[in-house]
Amino acid sequence: MSLERELTNLVPEGKDYWLVARESRKEFRDNLETSSFRIRGVEVHGNKTLVIAGPCAVHSREQTLEIAKIVKEAGADMLRGGAYKPRTSPYAFQGLGEEGLKILAEAREHTGLPIVTEVMDPRLVELIGQYADVLQIGARNMQNFPLLVEVGKYAAKHDKGVLLKTSLMPKLNEVLCAAEYLANEGAEKIMICERGISVTTGSTRNTPHPSFVRELRQATFLPILGDPSHSTGNRELVEHTSDMYLAARANGLLIDVVRDDEPEVIDGHKVCDYKQGLPAARFKGYMELLRRKG
Ligand code: PEP
Ligand code: MN
């Protein structure tokens, strides 16, 4: 470890977080740059919009392989899909578990896209880590401290990425402390994703919070993404919300994608978050727009 890194790792007394703070690193102090790293060859850095896309949940092999191909061809950087799903109701589809992870691994073989998938249970970090390139920590677990510690340790040891989603009603300090738990275990490839706050005037599922993205960008050098799908719950608002996140200087987007002819039910289960999945043709169109904007 370099002397500078060692000095950085000395947390000044009284700070709740430091390792992830912009002010802790000389190179990030007077700018809005982010850390840069590679996930399975894919570069993550502040100067390019990172797009992570895929089905909310892995429902079947056919569905996942088709969506993986769609998002790859459209230019996405990583494939995201849930095999272990946090569902409000115990009666809702809970994910395919390890079978889902195997399907994701097969999709990676076909497309080369790194896999992002959620882990909810500290006991499953080892298993999920064998398949995932990036371990996602969901909104409801942002302050699950034992999970943060396990994921942080695993990511550090196996050089994995971590995608930390903001909680349902987060304070800036809480988000950065959660990221600090990961960094304190040695994880370096950490990304944070704003997924909307859980207040709403009635029509949307949550409320996107682009100004929070901006605040996070100023407070930390970690890359910050926005999730236009979970923050709105409505596919009609996904492109516009993505634009708002990018205007707030988000470093990337996490987008749910469905096939153009996606059935509402697959293998007897309602498709997870169907209403917020951007249909393939529109996803392609939006990616094209992003490319043209450079
Ligand atoms: C998800 O990303 O699939 C998810 C469940 O989102 P969140 O944790 O933000 O609710
Ligand atoms: Mn979802």
Side-chain angles (χ1 to χ4, degrees), residues 36-39 41-45 48 50 77:
S36 52
F37 46 83
R38 278 175 182 274
I39 306 272
V42 171
E43 257 193 85
V44 179
H45 60 78
K48 175 186 168 289
L50 183 81
D77 301 290

Side-chain angles (χ1 to χ4, degrees), residues 4 28 30 45 50 60 71 87 112 120 136 153 166 184 191 198 209 289:
E4 178 163 15
F28 299 128
D30 301 312
H45 60 78
L50 183 81
S60 75
V71 302
R87 301 308 298 273
M120 293 187 288
Q136 176 177 323
K153 273 192 191 137
T166 52
N184 191 38
M191 298 170 271
S198 81
H209 199 180
L289 215 74

